[in-house]
Amino acid sequence: MYTHSKQFITSGIPIQQAKKAIVMLHGRGATAADIISLQRVLNLSDFAIYAPQATNNSWYPYSFMAPVTQNQPALDSALTLVGDVVAEIEAAGIPADQIYFAGFSQGACLTLEYTSRNARKYGGIIAFTGGLVGKELDIDNYNGDFKQTPVFISTGNPDPHVPVSRVQESVTILEDMNATVNQVIYPGRPHTISGEEIQLVNNTILK
């Protein structure tokens, strides 16, 4: 694992040797190293892995369902950082359709927000318990065509942070933007990443 300034760390195959890359976004109170540790269970053996680090371990201060203005300027800074990491990956020669994204909780929300604001054909998008950001979703924020990018979105029912209704709203927007979405709701599941979710994305998006 390598630290590049304070903004992100890398792991996996060196980018110069890799044919695909993944951007992994940690949850609130966690670290880039925490989310990268999922490489032990996810099928990432042939990926260059990039994990940005949030300032003070939080991408934005309030709930992802608070008014967007309350989460500024942190949200825009977070989106810019993700964009900078994607640009670095592309500059190394990895095309967008070989760039994947994965996040948990707040990181899953940021994953969906970034990719939906910059929709194109990506390798795949994994949102472990997340949804698009804002008190109400403004479809004018979301641009592009996912061109059948496979997307996995989950939550528990109930979940203390990510309600099923927001997942469903997010799925509708993503599908309208031509994403191929697998939405899975887990009754009674705690706010965590389950082994079933790991196995599912390994057998689909990361196969």
Side-chain angles (χ1 to χ4, degrees):
M1 203 158 8
Y2 300 93
T3 300
H4 302 260
S5 74
K6 294 181 179 177
Q7 293 197 297
F8 65 91
I9 59 177
T10 61
S11 189
I13 292 180
I15 190 70
Q16 298 82 3
Q17 301 167 23
K19 292 192 164 98
K20 51 190 176 179
I22 187 166
V23 180
M24 304 186 76
L25 298 173
H26 65 78
R28 188 189 301 270
T31 66
D34 291 333
I35 195 77
I36 274 186
S37 71
L38 286 175
Q39 69 181 306
R40 296 194 303 263
V41 292
L42 292 174
N43 290 340
L44 300 178
S45 59
D46 56 350
F47 281 78
I49 303 171
Y50 282 68
Q53 174 62 52
T55 302
N56 298 322
N57 302 332
S58 182
W59 295 112
Y60 41 83
Y62 300 107
S63 164
F64 82 110
M65 295 187 68
V68 168
T69 53
Q70 291 184 13
N71 277 318
Q72 297 292 18
L75 176 60
D76 280 350
S77 294
L79 291 166
T80 297
L81 176 55
V82 177
D84 289 347
V85 170
V86 170
E88 180 157 324
I89 292 169
E90 288 187 295
I94 307 290
D97 65 0
Q98 295 301 312
I99 299 175
Y100 295 66
F101 297 82
F104 170 62
S105 192
Q106 193 187 53
C109 298
L110 183 59
T111 292
L112 293 172
E113 193 70 16
Y114 173 81
T115 54
S116 297
R117 289 180 182 226
N118 301 275
R120 46 187 170 154
K121 175 65 174 175
Y122 294 113
I125 299 165
I126 300 163
F128 292 120
T129 309
L132 291 168
V133 176
K135 184 176 181 182
E136 288 92 26
L137 297 181
D138 182 356
I139 59 171
D140 291 338
N141 287 335
Y142 307 120
N143 301 287
D145 183 344
F146 279 117
K147 299 180 180 178
Q148 303 302 309
T149 297
V151 180
F152 172 83
I153 306 178
S154 67
T155 194
N157 186 21
D159 183 89
H161 305 290
V162 181
V164 171
S165 59
R166 175 51 57 92
V167 170
Q168 292 170 336
E169 286 179 275
S170 303
V171 168
T172 297
I173 289 172
L174 290 161
E175 289 181 335
D176 286 346
M177 297 174 72
N178 208 17
T180 301
V181 183
N182 183 11
Q183 167 195 302
V184 185
I185 309 301
Y186 294 94
R189 191 214 61 192
H191 189 72
T192 188
I193 301 173
S194 69
E196 187 177 341
E197 289 168 275
I198 294 290
Q199 185 175 16
L200 186 55
V201 299
N202 277 341
N203 291 337
T204 55
I205 293 176
L206 300 176
K207 64 184 177 181

